[in-house]
Amino acid sequence: MTEASTRQIASLALTLLDLTDLSDTCTPADIETLCADAHTPYGHTAAICIWPRFVQQARGRLGPANPVKIATVVNFPLGNLTVDTVVKETLDAIADGADEIDLVIPYHALMEGDEQAVRAMISAVRAACAPPIVLKVILETGELKERDLIRNASHIGIREGADFLKTSTGKVPVNATLEAADIMLTCIRESGRKVGFKPAGGVQSVADARLYINLADTIQGADWVMPSTFRFGASILLKDILSVIDGRESAAIAAAAY
């Protein structure tokens, strides 16, 4: 089988994209733009990912049956809130119209050896996310750093019912890496369960996207990558995707050359 063309990778990446605005300066006008940008001449992104305070606005803008899902974040970004607080965040977001919940685990607790804190948090939020709500569990791999910690966090997330494992918040110095992706995808394969994977933070170009897709193909098989099992969390990747599909120079390459 020949390697997919850059345009094919771009077209696939579009369908996998959680188009994200979790900037501290995000405004209602930015959400209007994000909702519009999620629908392109070449198809739509998988989801938008936004702060909880904007979920109700986005649901009103997109309507009840839009193919673009609304993802939001809880226990974000530090992973240091109480279980009760995070469950309330989750239930409020679902009531406002969220389809997907991206939960930051209490990763500091895990680094200190408290696995039970992580189990309790994921389990409680899982219970609050009745089907068809999708639960993505953010490990913050750039802070966990150690291979064994990332493996342990992955296995805990899978056992406690995560629908996806997500690398990062995008709010720390090191976010998604291929090394962390390798560990997480391997844990998913070893589990034998249907759990997806989401690299987030630092995926800026179609060339970056290809590396993660190729890695997933190698570990999980060529037919595994699809929106129900794989997402990219990114804010500027869409610009490069559209440049490549349009047949223009990669926006990321052009920027680097300049």
Side-chain angles (χ1 to χ4, degrees):
M1 179 178 176
T2 59
E3 186 177 19
S5 71
T6 302
R7 187 173 290 182
Q8 287 173 320
I9 291 292
S11 296
L12 175 58
L14 175 63
T15 71
L16 306 173
L17 181 60
D18 285 4
L19 184 60
T20 300
D21 191 339
L22 294 170
S23 62
D24 294 336
T25 57
C26 186
T27 67
D30 294 328
I31 297 302
E32 292 294 314
T33 299
L34 197 75
C35 290
D37 288 348
H39 290 273
T40 83
Y42 306 106
H44 59 82
T45 68
I48 58 171
C49 187
I50 56 178
W51 291 106
R53 63 182 178 273
F54 295 120
V55 168
Q56 192 171 51
Q57 175 193 347
R59 177 52 67 206
R61 172 69 168 75
L62 293 174
N66 200 291
V68 176
K69 302 301 183 183
I70 298 174
T72 194
V73 291
V74 297
N75 205 24
F76 189 94
L78 299 178
N80 61 353
L81 301 177
T82 67
V83 170
D84 288 347
T85 298
V86 179
V87 168
K88 184 178 187 305
E89 281 187 326
T90 301
L91 293 173
D92 287 348
I94 294 169
D96 284 345
D99 301 296
E100 302 179 354
I101 299 295
D102 289 23
L103 162 70
V104 183
I105 67 168
Y107 59 90
H108 291 291
L110 183 63
M111 292 162 68
E112 294 166 1
D114 188 357
E115 295 181 6
Q116 181 54 33
V118 181
R119 293 191 193 98
M121 179 66 75
I122 300 173
S123 176
V125 176
R126 173 75 276 174
C129 294
I133 302 300
V134 170
L135 175 61
K136 307 191 199 93
V137 171
I138 305 172
L139 307 186
E140 202 66 292
T141 54
E143 294 295 286
L144 294 180
K145 295 184 176 70
E146 297 176 11
R147 184 177 187 87
D148 287 347
L149 274 178
I150 296 171
R151 280 186 59 84
N152 197 20
S154 298
H155 285 306
I156 292 171
I158 293 167
R159 285 195 298 267
E160 296 301 332
D163 295 308
F164 276 77
L165 298 181
K166 177 177 172 181
T167 59
S168 321
T169 61
K171 299 290 189 179
V172 295
V174 177
N175 291 287
T177 66
L178 289 168
E179 292 77 12
D182 191 325
I183 297 165
M184 295 164 70
L185 285 163
T186 299
C187 289
I188 291 169
R189 185 193 65 198
E190 290 170 350
S191 76
R193 299 185 184 183
K194 185 181 178 181
V195 178
F197 171 68
K198 178 178 173 179
V203 183
Q204 300 182 355
S205 69
V206 173
D208 293 336
R210 179 192 289 276
L211 294 174
Y212 286 96
I213 291 169
N214 286 349
L215 180 63
D217 285 347
T218 299
I219 294 173
Q220 297 284 11
D223 297 325
W224 188 79
V225 172
M226 61 185 71
S228 62
T229 56
F230 192 106
R231 301 284 184 85
F232 289 110
S235 56
I236 66 173
L237 177 58
L238 181 61
K239 181 179 180 181
D240 202 54
I241 287 171
L242 296 179
S243 292
V244 170
I245 297 176
D246 281 342
R248 295 179 280 121
E249 183 180 18
S250 162
I253 293 173
Y258 182 79

